[in-house]
Amino acid sequence: MNSERDLDATDARILLALAASPRATVVALAERLGLSRNTVQARVARMEQSGALGSFERRITPNALGHPLTAFVTARVDQRRLAEVSEALADIAEVVEVFGLSGETDLLVRVVARDAEDLYRIAGQILAVPGIERTTTALAMRELVPHRLTPLLRRASGDE
Protein backbone atom coordinates (compact mmCIF):
# COMPACT_ATOMS: atom_id res chain seq x y z
CA MET A 1 0.00 0.00 0.00
CA ASN A 2 1.53 3.28 -1.08
CA SER A 3 -1.28 5.68 -0.27
CA GLU A 4 -4.82 5.91 1.01
CA ARG A 5 -6.07 5.54 -2.56
CA ASP A 6 -4.83 1.98 -2.53
CA LEU A 7 -7.61 0.95 -0.17
CA ASP A 8 -9.85 -1.74 -1.57
CA ALA A 9 -13.36 -2.83 -0.56
CA THR A 10 -12.01 -5.19 2.12
CA ASP A 11 -9.91 -2.42 3.65
CA ALA A 12 -12.96 -0.16 3.64
CA ARG A 13 -15.02 -2.87 5.39
CA ILE A 14 -12.31 -3.19 8.05
CA LEU A 15 -12.27 0.58 8.55
CA LEU A 16 -16.07 0.70 8.80
CA ALA A 17 -15.95 -2.04 11.45
CA LEU A 18 -13.26 -0.10 13.33
CA ALA A 19 -15.30 3.10 13.11
CA ALA A 20 -18.27 1.27 14.61
CA SER A 21 -16.18 -0.48 17.29
CA PRO A 22 -12.83 1.32 17.73
CA ARG A 23 -11.75 -0.94 20.59
CA ALA A 24 -12.51 -4.20 18.79
CA THR A 25 -9.72 -6.74 18.77
CA VAL A 26 -8.33 -8.11 15.52
CA VAL A 27 -10.02 -11.45 16.33
CA ALA A 28 -13.39 -9.75 16.86
CA LEU A 29 -13.02 -7.81 13.60
CA ALA A 30 -12.07 -10.97 11.72
CA GLU A 31 -15.12 -12.82 13.07
CA ARG A 32 -17.46 -9.93 12.32
CA LEU A 33 -16.18 -9.58 8.74
CA GLY A 34 -15.70 -13.26 7.95
CA LEU A 35 -11.97 -12.80 7.35
CA SER A 36 -8.94 -14.54 8.82
CA ARG A 37 -7.22 -12.96 11.79
CA ASN A 38 -3.96 -12.76 9.82
CA THR A 39 -5.65 -10.94 6.95
CA VAL A 40 -7.19 -8.34 9.25
CA GLN A 41 -3.98 -7.89 11.23
CA ALA A 42 -1.85 -7.48 8.10
CA ARG A 43 -4.26 -5.03 6.49
CA VAL A 44 -4.60 -2.92 9.64
CA ALA A 45 -0.79 -2.81 9.97
CA ARG A 46 -0.44 -1.70 6.32
CA MET A 47 -3.09 0.98 6.75
CA GLU A 48 -1.30 2.30 9.84
CA GLN A 49 2.04 2.40 8.01
CA SER A 50 0.58 4.12 4.95
CA GLY A 51 -1.19 6.78 6.97
CA ALA A 52 -4.69 5.60 6.04
CA LEU A 53 -5.37 5.21 9.76
CA GLY A 54 -4.79 8.56 11.39
CA SER A 55 -3.81 9.62 14.85
CA PHE A 56 -5.76 8.71 17.97
CA GLU A 57 -5.66 12.44 18.80
CA ARG A 58 -8.53 13.01 16.36
CA ARG A 59 -10.88 11.33 18.86
CA ILE A 60 -10.04 13.68 21.73
CA THR A 61 -12.33 16.69 22.01
CA PRO A 62 -10.91 20.13 22.86
CA ASN A 63 -13.85 20.54 25.29
CA ALA A 64 -12.43 17.75 27.43
CA LEU A 65 -9.21 19.77 27.69
CA GLY A 66 -10.97 22.94 28.78
CA HIS A 67 -11.06 24.56 25.33
CA PRO A 68 -14.74 24.81 24.32
CA LEU A 69 -14.31 27.58 21.72
CA THR A 70 -13.26 26.83 18.16
CA ALA A 71 -12.26 29.57 15.76
CA PHE A 72 -10.87 29.73 12.26
CA VAL A 73 -8.17 32.25 11.51
CA THR A 74 -7.41 33.03 7.89
CA ALA A 75 -3.98 34.48 7.22
CA ARG A 76 -2.13 36.14 4.39
CA VAL A 77 1.52 35.17 4.44
CA ASP A 78 4.77 36.34 2.88
CA GLN A 79 5.24 33.26 0.68
CA ARG A 80 9.02 33.34 1.10
CA ARG A 81 8.49 32.74 4.83
CA LEU A 82 5.85 30.00 4.59
CA ALA A 83 8.04 27.29 6.15
CA GLU A 84 9.00 29.60 9.02
CA VAL A 85 5.35 30.58 9.55
CA SER A 86 4.27 26.94 9.58
CA GLU A 87 6.87 26.07 12.21
CA ALA A 88 5.87 29.04 14.38
CA LEU A 89 2.18 28.12 14.17
CA ALA A 90 3.00 24.53 15.15
CA ASP A 91 4.60 25.92 18.32
CA ILE A 92 1.28 27.46 19.46
CA ALA A 93 -0.47 24.72 21.46
CA GLU A 94 -3.96 26.01 20.69
CA VAL A 95 -3.37 25.75 16.92
CA VAL A 96 -4.84 22.34 16.12
CA GLU A 97 -4.74 22.38 12.31
CA VAL A 98 -3.30 24.53 9.54
CA PHE A 99 -4.23 24.24 5.88
CA GLY A 100 -2.55 25.94 2.93
CA LEU A 101 -5.17 27.44 0.63
CA SER A 102 -5.41 28.67 -2.91
CA GLY A 103 -6.96 32.06 -3.57
CA GLU A 104 -6.68 35.35 -1.71
CA THR A 105 -6.07 33.75 1.69
CA ASP A 106 -2.96 31.64 2.19
CA LEU A 107 -3.70 29.73 5.40
CA LEU A 108 -6.71 28.45 7.31
CA VAL A 109 -5.76 27.97 10.95
CA ARG A 110 -8.11 26.11 13.29
CA VAL A 111 -7.63 27.13 16.89
CA VAL A 112 -9.27 26.21 20.18
CA ALA A 113 -9.60 28.49 23.19
CA ARG A 114 -10.84 28.54 26.77
CA ASP A 115 -12.91 31.71 26.32
CA ALA A 116 -13.06 34.96 24.33
CA GLU A 117 -10.13 36.48 26.21
CA ASP A 118 -8.01 33.41 25.48
CA LEU A 119 -9.00 33.56 21.81
CA TYR A 120 -7.92 37.20 21.69
CA ARG A 121 -4.51 36.21 23.11
CA ILE A 122 -4.12 33.36 20.59
CA ALA A 123 -5.13 35.54 17.65
CA GLY A 124 -2.50 38.05 18.78
CA GLN A 125 0.15 35.34 18.92
CA ILE A 126 -0.71 34.27 15.39
CA LEU A 127 -0.62 37.84 14.07
CA ALA A 128 2.77 38.36 15.75
CA VAL A 129 4.36 35.48 13.80
CA PRO A 130 7.00 36.93 11.45
CA GLY A 131 5.77 36.45 7.89
CA ILE A 132 2.07 36.74 8.66
CA GLU A 133 0.82 39.91 7.03
CA ARG A 134 -2.87 39.93 7.94
CA THR A 135 -5.41 37.75 9.75
CA THR A 136 -9.16 37.47 10.09
CA THR A 137 -10.75 35.48 12.91
CA ALA A 138 -14.17 33.84 12.81
CA LEU A 139 -15.68 32.11 15.81
CA ALA A 140 -17.32 28.76 15.09
CA MET A 141 -20.84 29.05 16.48
CA ARG A 142 -21.87 25.42 16.05
CA GLU A 143 -20.61 22.30 14.31
CA LEU A 144 -23.26 21.38 11.76
CA VAL A 145 -21.58 18.36 10.15
CA PRO A 146 -18.94 16.71 12.32
CA HIS A 147 -15.79 15.20 10.84
CA ARG A 148 -16.86 12.00 9.11
CA LEU A 149 -15.67 9.52 6.56
CA THR A 150 -18.27 6.76 6.96
CA PRO A 151 -20.19 7.72 3.79
CA LEU A 152 -16.98 7.44 1.75
CA LEU A 153 -16.06 4.16 3.46
CA ARG A 154 -19.50 2.72 2.66
CA ARG A 155 -19.07 3.70 -0.98
CA ALA A 156 -15.55 2.21 -1.11
CA SER A 157 -16.72 -1.01 0.56
CA GLY A 158 -19.48 -1.48 -2.01
CA ASP A 159 -22.23 -1.17 0.63
CA GLU A 160 -23.82 1.81 -1.12
Side-chain angles (χ1 to χ4, degrees):
M1 249 195 223
N2 294 327
S3 73
E4 291 94 18
R5 282 193 259 173
D6 291 335
L7 299 179
D8 63 16
T10 300
D11 294 324
R13 288 179 54 227
I14 292 169
L15 291 173
L16 276 169
L18 276 171
S21 302
R23 295 182 179 181
T25 65
V26 170
V27 172
L29 291 171
E31 287 175 7
R32 178 177 175 184
L33 297 170
L35 299 169
S36 76
R37 180 191 61 79
N38 287 342
T39 297
V40 172
Q41 190 166 4
R43 285 176 177 258
V44 168
R46 279 190 307 225
M47 287 186 279
E48 287 174 337
Q49 290 172 343
S50 74
L53 275 175
S55 158
F56 178 79
E57 280 183 86
R58 195 101 170 126
R59 296 189 57 203
I60 303 166
T61 64
N63 270 357
L65 301 172
H67 291 73
L69 294 182
T70 296
F72 294 92
V73 178
T74 56
R76 292 194 65 179
V77 176
D78 176 349
Q79 293 299 306
R80 295 167 296 193
R81 300 181 85 174
L82 186 58
E84 178 185 344
V85 167
S86 297
E87 287 177 26
L89 292 174
D91 288 339
I92 301 171
E94 296 86 358
V95 170
V96 295
E97 290 180 299
V98 179
F99 295 93
L101 303 177
S102 62
E104 290 184 34
T105 300
D106 299 311
L107 300 177
L108 177 64
V109 183
R110 181 173 167 226
V111 302
V112 295
R114 294 181 191 281
D115 52 33
E117 187 73 23
D118 194 36
L119 178 57
Y120 185 80
R121 177 190 60 80
I122 296 160
Q125 277 186 288
I126 292 170
L127 188 55
V129 169
I132 291 189
E133 298 171 349
R134 182 169 191 248
T135 65
T136 303
T137 302
L139 181 63
M141 301 301 287
R142 182 172 24 151
E143 183 178 59
L144 299 174
V145 178
H147 179 80
R148 68 198 179 112
L149 293 174
T150 301
L152 292 175
L153 286 170
R154 283 194 184 114
R155 182 184 299 158
S157 72
D159 283 353
E160 218 177 60

